[in-house]
Amino acid sequence: MKLYIKQKALSWRCRFSVTDSSGQPRWFAEGEFFSFTHKLHVYDASGNEVAVVYRENWTFLNQKYHIELAAKQHFTLVKEFAFFKNRFYLEGLPWRMNGDFFAHDYFLYDQAGEIMHISKEWFTWGDSYVLDIHNSEHELICLCIMLAVDNMVEDASN
């Protein structure tokens, strides 16, 4: 399953629209205005809040983003300290993720193999991503992981 994510450029709040391969809206995410934790609310196509993604402010070397699903599940995406590659792990699931030096390609995997591939488009107006998710039941958590990674990359560049 492929999802296409487009960030709205020139917005006071961080806004993402998510469509499937046929162009139908699947999800959308909207950040809070002046949030110290970069909190993003994720909604389904009907407008129901299904997840919240936010940063843990007081960490030393490892950035952390919390992912709370409406189904009362909580995960923490942790960025490991590394020099030339982006590496992450997910507290609450045995998943790991590696990214390239340019922060444009990420692979999420577990012991059985690849779960998702994130590809960030080059030279677009606002950030654009393609998520290739191998199991549709992981769609929401994979979307939240991508939103957290986007925020981590933005935090690092500021």
Side-chain angles (χ1 to χ4, degrees):
M1 142 180 277
K2 285 195 177 193
L3 294 178
Y4 299 89
I5 296 95
K6 178 72 176 157
Q7 183 177 17
K8 184 176 179 184
L10 301 175
S11 175
W12 287 100
R13 293 190 242 188
C14 197
R15 291 184 179 175
F16 293 89
S17 60
V18 182
T19 57
D20 60 15
S21 56
S22 63
Q24 296 299 313
R26 297 281 299 159
W27 314 94
F28 66 95
E30 186 171 76
E32 291 183 355
F33 193 64
F34 290 125
S35 172
F36 290 112
T37 59
H38 291 255
K39 188 178 277 191
L40 284 168
H41 298 272
V42 181
Y43 302 93
D44 62 13
S46 303
N48 302 314
E49 186 177 70
V50 293
V52 177
V53 179
Y54 60 94
R55 178 181 67 195
E56 185 174 313
N57 278 332
W58 308 110
T59 59
F60 180 58
L61 285 179
N62 298 340
Q63 287 180 303
K64 293 183 180 184
Y65 267 80
H66 297 279
I67 299 168
E68 294 180 1
L69 303 181
K72 303 296 182 207
Q73 294 174 302
H74 181 269
F75 307 100
T76 303
L77 184 67
V78 181
K79 183 177 182 184
E80 296 177 338
F81 180 75
F83 285 107
F84 297 110
K85 280 186 109 177
N86 292 310
R87 293 190 330 216
F88 305 85
Y89 65 91
L90 199 65
E91 292 177 351
L93 287 172
W95 294 359
R96 301 194 61 78
M97 186 163 56
N98 290 325
D100 67 351
F101 177 74
F102 297 107
H104 279 264
D105 281 303
Y106 295 91
F107 295 94
L108 179 69
Y109 58 93
D110 63 4
Q111 301 88 344
E114 188 176 311
I115 297 169
M116 169 183 65
H117 173 237
I118 300 172
S119 177
K120 183 177 180 182
E121 302 291 322
W122 291 89
F123 309 114
T124 59
W125 188 255
D127 291 339
S128 295
Y129 295 90
V130 177
L131 270 61
D132 189 5
I133 304 168
H134 297 286
N135 187 342
S136 62
E137 65 186 47
H138 299 311
E139 180 179 356
L140 179 59
I141 185 69
C142 287
L143 172 63
C144 292
I145 289 169
M146 188 282 313
L147 293 171
V149 167
D150 179 74
N151 276 340
M152 286 182 184
V153 170
E154 181 184 328
D155 291 346
S157 68
N158 288 340

